[in-house]
Amino acid sequence: MGRNDQYLFVPYLILFSVIVAAAANISRDQDALLSVKAHIINDNPNNILAQNWTSNTSVCSWMGITCDVYGNRVTSLTIPDLGLTGTIPSYLGNLSSLQTLVLSHNWFSGEIPEELGNLAELEVLVLNNNLLTGTIPDSIFNLSSISTGLDFSNNSLTGSFPNDMCEGLPRLKGLYVSYNQFKGPIPNNLWHCKELSSVSLSFNQFIGRIPRDLGNSTKLKLLYLSFNNLIGTYPGYLPSIIYNT
């Protein structure tokens, strides 16, 4: 075999390496999701996950799963309203290409796992209407990829929000945390989330005054603050925002 003939094999070797790596990635994602299935309890009488999430079929065909166009990675996990119970599995943090995670309207309890902060490509996190307790992990406030929104509403979460939260969430458009037990002041620097358009903080235990600098939030259209322990009068510097509804 001549030297030129050897070079002919290089593109094939590269292609083979890419295929092997892609297969390994989707296999890891499938293993992570099978671990998730084994961890949670499905109270739905149809037991959908047990019947649908099996190693006999491609993970990209599973209910609630979306993969990228090449079928190499899982990019979305959307399994709301399935009667799922137990705690949110930490294995979800292994789905490193996940962009959308929706677990809303189930019966998940316990704390939000710190490992969700490993999802460096996550754009939307929706955990509303569960039985979650504890605080929001600090790692969540450093998911700079989050854009569409964070929804933790209708749980029993506690704690406060860091004043510099927008430094880690610069693209955040929606923050929904109503009907929890959050305390402390509304972050003064919330307006640093330049893309923020909707904020729902109602039915918590926030204290203090509404930050004046929220008037610098040029894209903010909806602001729900009712049923907290806030003081002061209607913020006249926010004339276009729905307040106290």
Side-chain angles (χ1 to χ4, degrees), residues 16-132:
F16 178 75
S17 299
V18 170
I19 292 173
V20 170
N25 284 335
I26 197 65
S27 179
R28 282 196 294 269
D29 286 352
Q30 177 174 297
D31 290 344
L33 287 168
L34 288 174
S35 296
V36 168
K37 185 184 80 167
H39 180 88
I40 63 179
I41 302 171
N42 192 340
D43 279 351
N44 188 302
N46 296 321
N47 209 13
I48 297 174
L49 293 190
Q51 297 181 21
N52 186 267
W53 287 20
T54 70
S55 56
N56 298 326
T57 58
S58 167
V59 63
C60 297
S61 69
W62 293 358
M63 187 203 68
I65 302 297
T66 302
C67 294
D68 61 28
V69 293
Y70 304 106
N72 294 336
R73 300 304 305 267
V74 172
T75 58
S76 175
L77 172 58
T78 305
I79 48 173
D81 199 21
L82 290 181
L84 304 177
T85 65
T87 57
I88 296 177
S90 61
Y91 308 108
L92 289 173
N94 295 333
L95 299 171
S96 57
S97 292
L98 204 64
Q99 299 171 13
T100 301
L101 177 58
V102 178
L103 305 178
S104 55
H105 293 272
N106 283 293
W107 300 95
F108 287 115
S109 57
E111 299 187 352
I112 300 170
E114 185 80 26
E115 289 80 2
L116 294 189
N118 296 334
L119 302 175
E121 297 186 24
L122 197 65
E123 297 177 0
V124 55
L125 176 60
V126 180
L127 303 179
N128 63 289
N129 290 84
N130 280 286
L131 303 172
L132 300 173

Side-chain angles (χ1 to χ4, degrees), residues 214-229:
L214 272 179
N216 297 326
S217 301
T218 57
K219 295 186 178 182
L220 190 61
K221 302 300 180 185
L222 299 175
L223 178 62
Y224 300 103
L225 300 175
S226 59
F227 295 94
N228 280 287
N229 297 316

Side-chain angles (χ1 to χ4, degrees), residues 1-10 13:
M1 181 182 294
R3 180 175 300 176
N4 291 337
D5 293 332
Q6 293 177 356
Y7 290 140
L8 293 176
F9 286 95
V10 172
L13 289 173

